[in-house]
Amino acid sequence: MSQPIKIGIVGVGKIVRDQHLPALAKDQDYRLIAAASRHGKVDDIPNFPTIESMLDAVPELEAVSLCMPPQFRYDAARTALMAKKHVFLEKPPGATVSEVENLKALAAQNGVSLFASWHSRYAPAVEAARAFLNSTRIKSAAINWKEDVRRWHPNQEWIWAPGGFGVFDPGINALSIATHILPAMFITSAVLDFPENRASPVAARVTFRTSNGLPVTMDLDWLQTGPQSWDILADTDKGAMVLSGGGSKLAIDGRVVHDEPETEYPMLYRRFAEIVRAGTSDVDLAPLQHVADAFMLGKRNVVEAFFD
């Protein structure tokens, strides 16, 4: 068996505690040996205030997992790549498409791996949905992604700042699945609802057409109360497909055909280990490009002020 990859984690917040640390603790491909964060700490390993101080103090690090807000990720990723460390990017991989394109080039120049970790793409029913759609003729599709920001991102002001994505922070999860299971899509129109006291949208309605002319709609809402909705639907010549629960359950004409427990982050780290050992990168920019296109083509609609 190969020696564990010595990894450090940067940005110790909710997603790290909920997902990254448990996944790393169970994965024999890794040994977590350091962390860097302005506020959070990880028990039983050295902690540092910045990625620079961590890299200086722990030169044996081979890889870093970057989990800070996207507005700050480019500089940290560039620092790590220039130090010849493999880099795992939490989603979204950066604040702009051009930033991540530059990181891809830097990874290649320095002979290290870069991974854009679209976690929803690794939900348990996604591959089954992809196989089903590849076996049928799609007539239309719809994405309904509605959740409560107050539940999932309490007191996280960065998501409302420029570059924070707003409702496209969860919406990009839907796009990471849609771009994997549907034909190539292009945005034709969008309406983005901006609270009058925020710089990022709280809801969006987007229309696409696929490369072969099929209609796809997307409805995003970040003020959904009660049950949360993370669904992708398709009308096909083999029946109505519903991929629900963020990609965890697949039903055809109301009959559940795939339903397994979620293992997204363990699978992400498994994939990262694969590309590190193969000396390759895995950076798909399609979901991020769609967000950029929505902001470019979208009509801005100002709505009532939002308060946490």
Side-chain angles (χ1 to χ4, degrees):
M1 179 178 174
S2 301
Q3 289 295 313
I5 298 165
K6 299 181 183 70
I7 193 168
I9 205 156
V10 184
V12 181
K14 185 176 188 300
I15 192 65
V16 166
R17 299 196 183 282
D18 290 350
Q19 299 288 355
H20 290 260
L21 294 181
L24 285 168
K26 296 176 182 177
D27 195 327
Q28 296 183 351
D29 278 327
Y30 298 94
R31 185 156 66 92
L32 181 62
I33 64 171
S37 184
R38 289 185 300 169
H39 304 295
K41 292 184 181 298
V42 178
D43 294 340
D44 302 322
I45 59 173
N47 287 267
F48 302 91
T50 66
I51 186 173
E52 292 84 0
S53 58
M54 182 180 75
L55 293 175
D56 286 343
V58 192
E60 63 269 30
L61 277 167
E62 300 169 271
V64 294
S65 185
L66 302 183
C67 306
M68 72 283 285
Q71 301 99 315
F72 310 108
R73 203 166 292 149
Y74 173 81
D75 288 340
R78 186 181 188 281
T79 296
L81 293 171
M82 296 302 289
K84 300 191 182 302
K85 311 299 181 185
H86 308 289
V87 173
F88 178 118
L89 299 170
E90 179 49 275
K91 71 85 189 167
T96 69
V97 175
S98 56
E99 283 183 355
V100 187
E101 287 284 8
N102 181 250
L103 294 177
K104 286 171 60 178
L106 288 174
Q109 291 167 16
N110 287 280
V112 290
S113 298
L114 181 68
F115 182 38
S117 64
W118 301 113
H119 67 83
S120 290
R121 201 173 272 184
Y122 291 80
V126 168
E127 288 303 325
R130 186 184 191 197
F132 171 76
L133 292 177
N134 284 341
S135 74
T136 189
R137 182 174 65 83
I138 306 169
K139 300 175 183 178
S140 64
I143 302 164
N144 296 316
W145 222 258
K146 301 177 181 182
E147 64 180 56
D148 187 352
V149 64
R150 292 157 295 201
R151 173 178 171 184
W152 300 102
H153 292 276
N155 304 313
Q156 294 183 26
E157 284 299 317
W158 65 266
I159 56 178
W160 299 109
F165 287 71
V167 74
F168 284 98
D169 180 77
I172 206 169
N173 293 333
L175 289 169
S176 72
I177 297 174
T179 53
H180 188 61
I181 68 174
L182 294 173
M185 306 186 303
F186 312 96
I187 289 178
T188 57
S189 67
V191 177
L192 311 182
D193 291 346
F194 283 77
E196 57 188 6
N197 63 335
R198 294 291 190 268
S200 292
V202 72
R205 293 158 302 285
V206 184
T207 59
F208 303 81
R209 66 173 178 85
T210 67
S211 53
N212 52 358
L214 297 176
V216 180
T217 61
M218 181 167 72
D219 190 1
L220 306 178
D221 186 355
W222 226 1
L223 298 179
Q224 173 97 332
T225 57
Q228 311 286 274
S229 304
W230 301 297
D231 306 325
I232 297 178
L233 304 87
D235 182 22
T236 82
D237 63 357
K238 290 186 178 180
M241 184 205 83
V242 179
L243 180 63
S244 60
S248 64
K249 181 184 294 186
L250 177 65
I252 308 298
D253 279 342
R255 182 173 67 90
V256 175
V257 297
H258 199 101
D259 185 7
E260 294 181 10
E262 181 268 314
T263 58
E264 293 174 14
Y265 277 81
M267 292 181 69
L268 285 178
Y269 276 102
R270 188 181 311 160
R271 175 60 179 157
F272 187 44
E274 289 175 356
I275 66 172
V276 166
R277 291 183 169 134
T280 60
S281 288
D282 183 350
V283 187
D284 179 10
L285 285 172
L288 185 61
Q289 184 66 64
H290 281 310
V291 173
D293 290 350
F295 275 91
M296 181 170 65
L297 289 177
K299 175 184 176 182
R300 182 185 179 106
N301 183 45
V302 179
V303 297
E304 185 178 355
F306 168 69
F307 298 95
D308 293 331

